[in-house]
Amino acid sequence: MQKLSFKRASQADIDGILKVMQRVGYLDFRFPNQQKDKIKKQLISELKDRTILVCCSRKKVIGYSIFGPAEKFLKCPIKISKKDHAFSLGIGIDPDYQRKSIGKKLVDYSKKIATKQGFKGAYGDIASNNRASLKIQKSAGFIKIAEYDDAKRPKGIKNILVFKKFI
Ligand SMILES: CC(C)(COP(=O)(O)OP(=O)(O)OC[C@H]1O[C@@H](n2cnc3c(N)ncnc32)[C@H](O)[C@@H]1OP(=O)(O)O)[C@@H](O)C(=O)NCCC(=O)NCCS
């Protein structure tokens, strides 16, 4: 395996991020039937209000992780403390590179950057049928704190809210 590098994404990484998002099915989930150009503009604008991190092998983007303040991005039906906490808005690893612990490394890197930004913990929400994501969050120390229906999920699939305290 080539040496991996982790960094905050810039505009130059957006095409690579889009490719990974396409390959893991995130584009169809979040931007169904939207033109690539429009999605690209949207992601470029999102560099301003959230943290987008990438993992690269040589210069190729092979994974992304996105988070922002829970106060701004986390909508959930239960009362939780959002202040000073991050919310994970998504993680994806190119299928050619999955199951090589890269997702885990990217979660660890995300935690490091979120801690540097002053966040005291993080939330994530995961579809109840997403075994890989549930596993990666669990091995990163996240614990399940709630389970509820969410309109963004297909019928019968619950939203699992997970939490990890950093300090
Ligand atoms: C979830 C995802 C990021 C995991 O990335 P990855 O690099 O393959 O994960 P890792 O190799 O670091 O594996 C982490 C753990 O998950 C387990 N795992 C990974 N893929 C799995 C799968 N398909 N089924 C079951 N377990 C899986 C690994 O065995 C490992 O478990 P361990 O801690 O017991 O060793 C990746 O599968 C992905 O991009 N999925 C599609 C996008 C997605 O669903 N994102 C999350 C919602 S936004």
Side-chain angles (χ1 to χ4, degrees):
M1 160 89 65
Q2 290 296 328
K3 197 170 172 289
L4 301 174
S5 61
F6 295 85
K7 61 171 186 170
R8 193 158 179 168
S10 69
Q11 202 163 317
D13 299 306
I14 295 294
D15 283 329
I17 294 171
L18 275 169
K19 271 190 198 133
V20 178
M21 287 182 167
Q22 173 81 60
R23 298 203 73 199
V24 298
Y26 182 70
L27 290 189
D28 294 335
F29 167 72
R30 181 158 169 224
F31 306 102
N33 306 316
Q34 271 194 47
Q35 297 267 324
K36 275 272 168 59
D37 278 1
K38 223 175 144 193
I39 301 173
K40 187 172 171 180
K41 269 194 194 143
Q42 173 69 24
L43 286 181
I44 289 170
S45 76
E46 290 180 359
L47 285 168
K48 289 188 216 107
D49 72 346
R50 55 202 89 185
T51 301
I52 305 185
L53 305 174
V54 285
C55 172
C56 300
S57 171
R58 291 182 189 260
K59 288 196 170 150
K60 184 182 171 206
V61 174
I62 59 163
Y64 64 86
S65 165
I66 307 175
F67 66 85
E71 277 177 304
K72 177 165 183 175
F73 293 108
L74 174 55
K75 316 263 178 281
C76 75
I78 59 157
K79 212 166 177 288
I80 48 168
S81 166
K82 296 182 188 174
K83 194 174 178 306
D84 296 329
H85 286 79
F87 176 55
S88 168
L89 292 155
I91 179 167
I93 302 294
D94 184 317
D96 289 344
Y97 296 85
Q98 286 181 8
R99 305 207 79 155
K100 298 178 194 298
S101 298
I102 299 173
K104 257 190 210 166
K105 289 189 181 118
L106 195 49
V107 170
D108 285 347
Y109 181 66
S110 303
K111 185 194 153 201
K112 190 174 132 191
I113 300 300
T115 304
K116 269 193 190 162
Q117 291 178 358
F119 290 114
K120 296 184 167 57
Y123 295 94
D125 66 348
I126 305 163
S128 54
N129 62 344
N130 191 339
R131 283 184 57 218
S133 197
L134 287 167
K135 204 151 181 203
I136 199 174
Q137 298 293 6
K138 192 173 174 193
S139 63
F142 281 77
I143 50 159
K144 176 176 161 178
I145 54 168
E147 181 176 324
Y148 46 86
D149 290 316
D150 190 322
K152 74 182 175 187
R153 306 284 181 208
K155 214 168 175 276
I157 306 296
K158 299 269 183 196
N159 216 28
I160 310 289
L161 188 68
V162 296
F163 173 70
K164 180 179 167 76
K165 201 169 163 34
F166 291 162
I167 46 173

